[in-house]
Amino acid sequence: DLFCTFLLFIFYQMLIILLASKFVKTPKLFFIFAIIIPLFILKVSETFESIKFANEVLKIIGISYITFRSIQIVLDLSIYKPKNYFNIFFYFTNPLTLLAGPIDRFNRFELNLISITKSLTKENFIRGWYFLIVGCLQKFIFAHFWDIEILRNFPINSERSIDIIGRAYSYAVFLFFDFSGYSLMAIGLSLMMGILLPSNFDKPWESHNPNEFWKRFHITLGEFLNDYFFKPIYLKILRINYFSNHRLTAQNLSIFLTFLLMGAWNGLKWNYLLSGMMFGLSSICYNTYKFKYNQSSSFFLKHNFLILYRFIFLNYVIWALYFFNGINQT
């Protein structure tokens, strides 16, 4: 039954894409709403016990990532149309990226499939093995060790400050190595099969600001949010007379809505929404600083503020991730 539901969901998304490609004069927003209906129902059902049945029916593997990919295809139809709908099916169901990414782009993925024989090289196979080994070490050795020996030493339900602080900071370390390891494993296995996936992590804890953080942490999600959430929202908001003369306000509102939607994408529970708002607020603060003070000639102001901001921001990220996890969850 679950497999049949999964296939029905895939075909539903493919039908929406087909209709969007045929009825090009219909506003894309209409098709986007159609795409997100199953995911929206699932997230609402996870929040309210009264509609638990919907939660059981729509508990589809990879529903969030498939929804993201479907949105990407529809929004990009004006610049790239699918050459083969079987490629869309494979793009949706690729088991290596179904649960946690990286979030690939369909146009790049399809062109890769068309010329896959060129990617099946000895060099790519060796690189794939390297990524796979490093990923396994990160996920199954370091993340597992950190979880057992460090993270679990701070009781989940403890109200002691030392346990709360220790759990927040140790969880950030665990999350990075667990997620980064999974991504590297997916990239390595795909590379060995001739499929080139984008990188997902690049030393995120060396980031100086929110913009840089999302270019280093879950890179493909940051790029997706920028291209398919922030930019369309920002352009829509600019059409309102007030915001056309207040671009900073328009940018900040678009940033906040983007991260709020990111939180809602994970679930309509308080911890997801709060973490999304926290990431949005930090990005707004930096965007406002950059807009108002980046042209300042005062080296002292710019240099010392950025050092302080980096320290505050990285600690802020750790707590945002902690709230994202739901505080009392593993």
Side-chain angles (χ1 to χ4, degrees):
D1 289 342
L2 288 175
F3 182 69
C4 290
T5 303
F6 176 75
L7 289 179
L8 285 173
F9 173 70
I10 294 293
F11 291 134
Y12 170 78
Q13 296 293 339
M14 293 178 67
L15 176 62
I16 298 300
I17 294 170
L18 176 62
L19 292 174
S21 65
K22 297 297 182 182
F23 299 96
V24 292
K25 293 183 179 181
T26 305
K28 289 184 178 179
L29 198 58
F30 171 82
F31 297 108
I32 299 302
F33 282 137
I35 287 170
I36 66 174
I37 283 174
L39 180 62
F40 176 76
I41 295 174
L42 174 64
K43 297 305 179 182
V44 171
S45 70
E46 289 176 343
T47 306
F48 301 100
E49 292 293 328
S50 59
I51 47 177
K52 189 176 180 180
F53 172 75
N55 186 13
E56 295 175 352
V57 172
L58 290 171
K59 202 70 174 180
I60 300 166
I61 296 174
I63 185 172
S64 295
Y65 280 95
I66 294 172
T67 300
F68 262 15
R69 291 166 186 166
S70 190
I71 290 173
Q72 182 255 313
I73 294 175
V74 167
L75 290 178
D76 283 351
L77 280 174
S78 57
I79 57 176
Y80 188 88
K81 291 187 177 181
K83 295 178 173 58
N84 188 320
Y85 274 77
F86 176 78
N87 293 338
I88 296 180
F89 182 83
F90 186 40
Y91 174 64
F92 282 158
T93 58
N94 181 359
L96 298 176
T97 61
L98 192 58
L99 293 176
I103 304 174
D104 203 0
R105 303 294 176 92
F106 175 72
N107 55 332
R108 193 220 59 78
F109 181 82
E110 184 172 54
L111 293 175
N112 189 176
L113 283 182
I114 293 172
S115 60
I116 195 169
T117 53
K118 296 180 181 179
S119 303
L120 288 169
T121 64
K122 178 182 177 181
E123 291 76 14
N124 281 343
F125 190 82
I126 294 173
R127 287 180 63 224
W129 262 113
Y130 171 77
F131 288 137
L132 178 61
I133 292 171
V134 174
C136 286
L137 288 174
Q138 287 189 359
K139 183 172 178 62
F140 297 116
I141 303 299
F142 195 87
H144 181 72
F145 169 83
W146 193 270
D147 179 31
I148 299 297
E149 299 297 331
I150 307 295
L151 182 57
R152 297 192 186 188
N153 285 331
F154 302 102
I156 294 177
N157 296 314
S158 174
E159 295 182 357
R160 295 194 310 161
S161 297
I162 186 65
D163 289 329
I164 294 173
I165 294 172
R167 189 165 184 80
Y169 283 82
S170 57
Y171 173 73
V173 175
F174 165 77
L175 176 66
F176 167 72
F177 283 103
D178 184 71
F179 198 1
S180 175
Y182 179 92
S183 295
L184 283 175
M185 289 165 58
I187 291 170
L189 285 170
S190 295
L191 193 57
M192 293 165 68
M193 295 186 290
I195 299 174
L196 312 179
L197 293 179
S199 298
N200 220 18
F201 291 88
D202 181 23
K203 302 175 182 178
W205 303 116
E206 295 182 7
S207 304
H208 291 79
N209 55 67
N211 290 353
E212 188 177 351
F213 179 77
W214 288 105
K215 291 178 181 179
R216 290 171 173 266
F217 183 90
H218 207 338
I219 298 170
T220 56
L221 175 61
E223 292 175 346
F224 186 95
L225 291 173
N226 181 65
D227 292 344
Y228 301 105
F229 282 52
F230 172 76
K231 288 181 179 178
I233 291 173
Y234 180 56
L235 291 175
K236 290 286 185 183
I237 289 177
L238 279 182
R239 293 177 182 175
I240 301 173
N241 290 333
Y242 173 82
F243 290 111
S244 63
N245 298 318
H246 298 82
R247 289 182 174 266
L248 176 61
T249 305
Q251 286 179 3
N252 288 340
L253 179 58
S254 302
I255 289 170
F256 185 80
L257 290 175
T258 296
F259 281 101
L260 183 61
L261 286 171
M262 181 192 74
W265 169 67
N266 287 289
L268 298 177
K269 297 180 180 179
W270 73 267
N271 56 300
Y272 296 131
L273 298 177
L274 177 60
S275 64
M277 288 189 286
M278 288 180 69
F279 280 121
L281 288 173
S282 66
S283 296
I284 286 173
C285 289
Y286 179 73
N287 187 57
T288 302
Y289 161 77
K290 190 172 66 171
F291 184 86
K292 291 191 173 182
Y293 302 109
N294 202 35
Q295 303 302 320
S296 172
S297 60
S298 172
F299 174 81
F300 178 83
L301 173 65
K302 294 174 68 175
H303 182 71
N304 288 279
F305 176 83
L306 290 177
I307 292 175
L308 177 63
Y309 184 86
R310 183 186 181 191
F311 174 78
I312 294 173
F313 170 69
L314 291 178
N315 283 275
Y316 184 90
V317 165
I318 288 170
W319 287 100
L321 292 173
Y322 181 55
F323 286 121
F324 170 82
N325 188 47
I327 298 181
N328 291 330
Q329 300 177 25
T330 300

